[in-house]
Structure formats: C-alpha cells, structure tokens
Amino acid sequence: MSNASKLMMAAAGQGGAATDENTVLLIRSDTTDGSTTFEDLSSYGHTILQPRGTVDHQTEQFKMGASSFLMDSSSDGLVVSASSAFNFGTGDFTIECWLRPTATASNDWMFELYNFAGNFAAGQNISVLYENSTRAKANIANRYNTHVFIFTNWLTVNTWSHVALVRYGNYVNLYHNGVAASNIYNATGVDFFSSGDPYIVIGNRTNTTLEWPYNNVLPGYYDEFKVSNIARYTGNFTPSSNYLKGET
C-alpha cells in the first residue's frame, strides 16, 4: 500500500484520537474499573468484535492513564475486525504494547494477525508467544514457521515491559524494553497478507470461525496496544512511559 493510500485511509477514518496518520490501531485503557468497553482510538475507528472471557479494564495496575486491561482467564481475548489497514504488503510496520504478566508458561500467546488463508500460507500470519525467560517465539510468514527471538532477559512476572515487533526493510525484529533480540528475521520478499485482510487477536488464539478453542493466553495486564504502518524503531531505544511515539 502506498503512503498516499495510507494517508487517504486515515483521513477517511471515524476516530477522533490525537494520533498520527501512521497509527492504524490504538487500544488504550484509561477508563473506569471493571469497564468492558473497548475502542480503537486511531482515526480508523476499527470495531472490537469480541471481548471474550472475563477481559475488562482494571485500575489496580496501569502504565499510563488510569487503568489497563486484564486478561486473567485462559479464555480471555479481543478480536479487531479485519481491515486493509493491516495489510502491510512488503512495507514496514510496528506492533507494540506495554504488558505486565501475572504468570508465564511456554507457548502463551500475546497477539496475532492472520487472515484465514488456506493453511495459513506464506505472508499470512504474524504472532508473538512467550517461550521462556530468554526466548520469545514468533510465527512469521505462516502460522507454522516459528522464529525464536533471543534476549538476555525477556518478560518478568509482575513487572511492566514494553514489547515491539518491527519490520524495517527486509528484516523483522522484536524489542523488549527497547533492546533488540540478538537474532533478526530475514523477511526478504515476504508480502504480508496478500491473500486477504487480517484480523488482529490480542490474547487467546482463535480459529477460522472466530471461536476460542485454545487456552493459552499470556495472563496479565495490557496497556496501549498500538499498530503502525511504519517502522517506529530502527535500533535500540528507550520506551516512553507516557503515550507512545506520535501521540498527544
């Protein structure tokens, strides 16, 4: 998708948030305790289809604003409606959020983009999973093509962390608290979502009928989940403890 097309799509959006034109999704908590209302504050105004399980906003933990959203049940999750705004092609992108896990286990899922293409073919899936204290797994290109990102320290229970998955040119890397993993993924020639516009799933995995047959969400508090159609970070950085880059 060209930059001109991206700008036109943003201009035609329904949201009213103070985000830049490259923000294609922003789910911010900052609300009342126990609320189950989830909105996209980007200019696109995507529909949050299915808050599932017991996911809600909680004021007991937050990174910014007044609250965060808690996923503390194995069936918890959010689905964002499929959109061409998430059809990145061979272009850059950033998927980022703050999270504070309350427990960790191998193959706990954080988020996924996919479009139900047959057999989850090449370029039709992006997902990030916890594996252990130094390793994150990412299914990139297709749902069964796992790349392991290695860190000195990965997520810690009851501690806020910033996580960002970034495509910049021909490479995809994962950042933890602004520090890049030691092994980058070569995405040369990968055309993400050429077979159809993807949904975004935060938390528990879903299937092709948008049901929830899996029970492996990474439990904890999530805040400021944001997707951009540019590479926000091209090297190590210091995550902002205020609103993420490009916002007011």
Side-chain angles (χ1 to χ4, degrees):
M1 185 186 299
S2 68
N3 285 335
S5 297
K6 293 172 183 175
L7 289 169
M8 289 175 64
M9 288 181 67
Q14 300 299 314
T19 60
D20 65 24
E21 67 272 12
N22 298 113
T23 302
V24 298
L25 176 71
L26 174 61
I27 302 176
R28 176 176 293 161
S29 193
D30 195 20
T31 187
T32 56
D33 193 58
S35 171
T36 56
T37 299
F38 293 87
E39 297 179 290
D40 170 26
L41 299 181
S42 79
S43 61
Y44 294 80
H46 298 292
T47 300
I48 313 300
L49 290 176
Q50 295 179 325
R52 285 297 187 94
T54 61
V55 58
D56 62 358
H57 299 277
Q58 293 287 323
T59 57
E60 61 189 7
Q61 293 290 339
F62 51 87
K63 186 61 183 179
M64 56 196 71
S67 60
S68 60
F69 54 97
L70 174 63
M71 297 191 187
D72 59 355
S73 167
S74 60
S75 62
D76 286 356
L78 301 173
V79 176
V80 182
S81 57
S83 171
S84 59
F86 310 140
N87 196 326
F88 302 124
T90 57
D92 296 344
F93 61 79
T94 304
I95 306 166
E96 61 186 312
C97 69
W98 285 95
L99 62 93
R100 188 180 192 271
T102 54
T104 54
S106 181
N107 293 322
D108 279 352
W109 287 60
M110 288 176 263
F111 60 81
E112 180 175 37
L113 287 75
Y114 72 125
N115 62 5
F116 310 133
N119 296 318
F120 304 103
Q124 312 315 309
N125 180 263
I126 301 170
S127 56
V128 174
L129 303 76
Y130 179 90
E131 183 172 13
N132 61 37
S133 61
T134 61
R135 294 159 63 95
K137 291 199 285 191
N139 296 334
I140 308 174
N142 68 65
R143 207 175 198 184
Y144 309 108
N145 178 19
T146 300
H147 179 79
V148 176
F149 289 105
I150 300 174
F151 295 92
T152 302
N153 293 292
W154 182 216
L155 302 177
T156 302
V157 171
N158 297 327
T159 301
W160 281 103
S161 290
H162 182 265
V163 175
L165 185 73
V166 181
R167 181 179 185 164
Y168 179 51
N170 289 326
Y171 297 95
V172 176
N173 210 348
L174 187 67
Y175 294 83
H176 174 237
N177 290 333
V179 177
S182 60
N183 53 326
I184 203 165
Y185 176 81
N186 189 332
T188 300
V190 177
D191 187 347
F192 283 103
F193 308 115
S194 58
S195 296
D197 300 334
Y199 291 79
I200 293 181
V201 181
I202 307 169
N204 196 7
R205 296 170 61 192
T206 185
N207 62 14
T208 55
T209 58
L210 289 178
E211 297 172 347
W212 299 75
Y214 310 105
N215 293 306
N216 50 352
V217 62
L218 180 70
Y221 299 88
Y222 291 69
D223 207 353
E224 198 78 355
F225 188 94
K226 180 176 177 179
V227 180
S228 304
N229 57 20
I230 58 171
R232 296 277 179 190
Y233 316 106
T234 59
N236 290 350
F237 62 96
T238 301
S240 173
S241 58
N242 298 306
Y243 292 138
L244 296 180
K245 188 174 180 180
E247 300 171 14
T248 59

